[in-house]
Amino acid sequence: MTELERVSVLAIGCGPFNLSLAALASTVDDVDVVVVDSSENFAWHPGLMFEDAKLQVSFLSDLVSLVDPSHPLSFLAYLADVDRLYRFLVREDFFPTRREYEDYLLWAIRKLAGLRWGTTVTEVRWDSDAALFEVDLVGPDGPVTLLAEHVVVGIGTEPVIPESVHADSPALVHSSDYLFHRETMLDSESVTVVGSGQSGAEIFADLLEANLAGGPAVRWWTRTPWFAPLDFTKLSLEMTTPAYMEYFHTLPESTRDEVRRGHWQFHKGVSADTLARIHDLLYRRELVDDAAPVQLRTGVEIASVEPVGSGAPGTPGNPGDPRLRVTGLHADTGRAVAHEAEWVVASTGYTERRPAFLRPLDGLLARDTQGRLVIEANHSVAPAAAGPALADRLFVANAEHHAFGVSAPNLDIGAVRNAKILNSVLGREAYRLQRSTAFISFGPDGDDDAANADSALSAGSGNATATNPAPATAARPTEH
């Protein structure tokens, strides 16, 4: 890093999204991208890397294909390079396992220059005279300051455990760390899984497999009224396309927040395959006479998780000492329910990281009424009145759910977002974006006879209806 004085783009965080940025930039001559990450090496969700777990998106949602299918760092190029292309074809499954996708990412990492591991960003400042970012980093060779024309923040999310579920106990584990504690849990007498998203379902299924083989008692509690499937029906998936993202971005802040509340089944549901697997395991368990108890309970809001035992989980000589007491409120009846378990796995999701290194820029960045960064259509952070020179200089990846909706964290939008970022940085269309990405017309504008429709509504015609009209303050959305 000491040899680097100035770069076109500094990307902070080396997850799939910034890897995609580096991959797309690798075939563009007039831009240099440096990606830094505080980790010593790359690992993708190691605490949830089940052998048979699949991606929930197609292999086309790789680093580059949805922008440039012919790119040398595509998933298909990876399959060809490792001599697995025909086997993947015969497999006839568009959804790779997570382990295979991680191997693809590691393959791409080996082919990319400009990745710097063990390097932590401590501060990002704006030099108004030089019109450059000054970025302080601490790397393997010590501290250094780097000058960057543009900065992309892609530091991902971090596990979150709500206060009602939190307990000061090593027996409470977030789902992201499950595999690190799995063997000890399987030797215990009881495990409770809280939360019914995909990760919670996969963990429950894993514990249920063990239960059939003589493993611990297992409970699965969720506040949702049912174990809901991910909505992966075809027309629903159109809400994960660039067309919907662009429309969603035109809506007023309050409308976006209201609409987002109805999108929970896109990211808090469970894949149909996983639900089928769980039901099959429950059915097979009917033929096992001596299995430990299993309970699934919906519509329960967790009130508290409290330590009640003195022994640590899995302590020899103290195998039955319950470690945690879980108390909840049953929504339909209002009754309190409770049980004790040696372990509790909190499948309670993730929240965006708030980078302390951006604090020197606070007065220069625009924020909405909720204190969130205002994000432009090209994924740049809008400047405040005091910092107009920052326009199109600072970008974010997977930190703009409030601005773009349900697709912001999805792998299938990563390449498109990065193409927009690179096009903005270069001031030209280095990558052509798809002009039409959905069949649905999300906004009120289109090729229907708007004048006649307005006349019919004004006349009170019983044949004319308005369904979910866009607020009058919304900007005109892009037509698709």
Side-chain angles (χ1 to χ4, degrees):
M1 293 297 300
T2 55
E3 297 178 359
L4 290 173
E5 296 182 355
R6 176 171 174 166
V7 296
S8 301
V9 181
L10 176 67
I12 305 171
C14 197
F17 291 135
N18 275 345
L19 280 176
S20 166
L21 180 69
L24 289 172
S26 69
T27 54
V28 179
D29 292 333
D30 50 344
V31 63
D32 57 315
V33 174
V34 170
V35 185
V36 298
D37 197 284
S38 58
S39 300
E40 295 298 325
N41 47 53
F42 181 82
W44 195 53
H45 302 302
L48 282 170
M49 191 61 73
F50 294 101
E51 286 292 337
D52 58 347
K54 290 183 179 181
L55 287 187
Q56 294 166 324
V57 293
S58 161
F59 73 90
L60 290 173
S61 302
D62 60 17
L63 300 177
V64 293
S65 288
L66 288 173
V67 168
D68 181 5
S70 64
H71 197 282
L73 293 179
S74 71
F75 185 80
L76 288 179
Y78 153 77
L79 289 176
D81 194 39
V82 299
D83 293 329
R84 207 159 58 241
L85 190 56
Y86 271 91
R87 290 171 180 162
F88 187 82
L89 169 67
V90 174
R91 180 174 176 258
E92 292 188 335
D93 190 338
F94 276 14
F95 301 91
T97 64
R98 287 187 206 147
R99 188 168 297 279
E100 183 175 31
Y101 191 77
E102 182 187 49
D103 191 64
Y104 157 66
L105 295 177
L106 290 169
W107 170 84
I109 285 170
R110 291 190 293 270
K111 294 180 176 295
L112 285 170
L115 308 184
R116 304 290 183 262
W117 303 98
T119 302
T120 301
V121 175
T122 58
E123 192 169 85
V124 178
R125 300 178 300 278
W126 176 249
D127 184 338
S128 57
D129 294 331
L132 292 169
F133 290 104
E134 294 180 345
V135 185
D136 292 341
L137 312 100
V138 178
D141 298 323
V144 66
T145 297
L146 179 69
L147 301 179
E149 296 171 20
H150 305 84
V151 170
V152 180
V153 180
I155 56 176
T157 57
E158 59 188 1
V160 61
I161 299 179
E163 188 62 33
S164 61
V165 181
H166 181 76
D168 186 16
S169 168
L172 177 71
V173 174
H174 190 270
S175 57
S176 59
D177 290 327
Y178 169 71
L179 289 179
F180 303 133
H181 300 273
R182 178 178 182 270
E183 294 306 316
T184 307
M185 288 188 193
L186 297 188
D187 287 337
S188 70
E189 289 196 353
S190 57
V191 183
T192 293
V193 179
V194 174
S196 60
Q198 181 66 23
S199 60
E202 290 177 359
I203 290 168
F204 178 73
D206 186 62
L207 291 167
L208 192 53
E209 289 263 18
N211 176 270
L212 267 68
V218 189
R219 288 181 174 86
W220 190 18
W221 281 20
T222 177
R223 66 181 177 182
T224 58
W226 75 98
F227 292 106
L230 285 167
D231 190 351
F232 274 14
T233 51
K234 303 300 183 185
L235 289 180
S236 292
L237 283 177
E238 295 226 327
M239 294 176 67
T240 67
T241 61
Y244 183 75
M245 289 183 68
E246 291 164 12
Y247 160 71
F248 185 90
H249 186 264
T250 67
L251 299 174
E253 175 193 337
S254 59
T255 304
R256 292 198 302 259
D257 289 343
E258 180 64 28
V259 170
R260 284 180 64 208
R261 283 191 277 271
H263 289 169
W264 66 272
Q265 210 166 336
F266 282 103
H267 52 88
K268 293 184 179 179
V270 182
S271 74
D273 288 345
T274 304
L275 289 173
R277 177 189 172 200
I278 288 172
H279 191 275
D280 182 63
L281 289 169
L282 291 169
Y283 187 82
R284 286 164 48 192
R285 189 177 172 279
E286 292 286 287
L287 303 175
V288 179
D289 293 331
D290 56 350
V294 168
Q295 181 190 74
L296 295 81
R297 192 185 289 278
T298 59
V300 175
E301 184 80 29
I302 301 299
S304 65
V305 178
E306 299 174 328
V308 293
S310 57
T315 302
N318 194 19
D321 188 10
R323 182 66 178 170
L324 295 169
R325 181 173 178 81
V326 182
T327 303
L329 185 69
H330 188 253
D332 291 342
T333 64
R335 290 177 53 189
V337 290
H339 70 270
E340 294 178 349
E342 287 190 58
W343 288 88
V344 171
V345 181
S347 179
T348 47
Y350 300 81
T351 188
E352 294 174 3
R353 287 191 171 97
R354 298 187 179 278
F357 56 74
L358 288 183
R359 284 176 185 163
L361 304 179
D362 273 351
L364 304 177
L365 304 177
R367 295 187 178 272
D368 64 16
T369 62
Q370 305 298 314
R372 300 166 299 198
L373 293 173
V374 175
I375 310 299
E376 304 283 19
N378 64 351
H379 302 273
S380 67
V381 180
L390 277 176
D392 298 333
R393 291 298 193 99
L394 177 66
F395 299 83
V396 294
N398 193 16
E400 71 278 51
H401 306 61
H402 59 290
F404 287 95
V406 68
S407 274
N410 286 5
L411 291 175
D412 53 9
I413 209 65
V416 173
R417 173 169 49 211
N418 286 325
K420 289 183 179 180
I421 291 173
L422 285 174
N423 289 349
S424 295
V425 166
L426 293 164
R428 59 182 174 82
E429 191 180 64
Y431 284 103
R432 186 184 76 85
L433 297 173
Q434 297 292 302
R435 304 295 190 245
S436 178
T437 60
F439 291 114
I440 299 174
S441 298
F442 295 107
D445 298 317
D447 56 4
D448 54 334
D449 192 339
N452 288 344
D454 289 342
S455 298
L457 287 171
S458 299
S461 170
N463 296 323
T465 59
T467 304
N468 295 327
T473 55
R476 179 183 179 90
T478 305
E479 293 185 13
H480 300 276

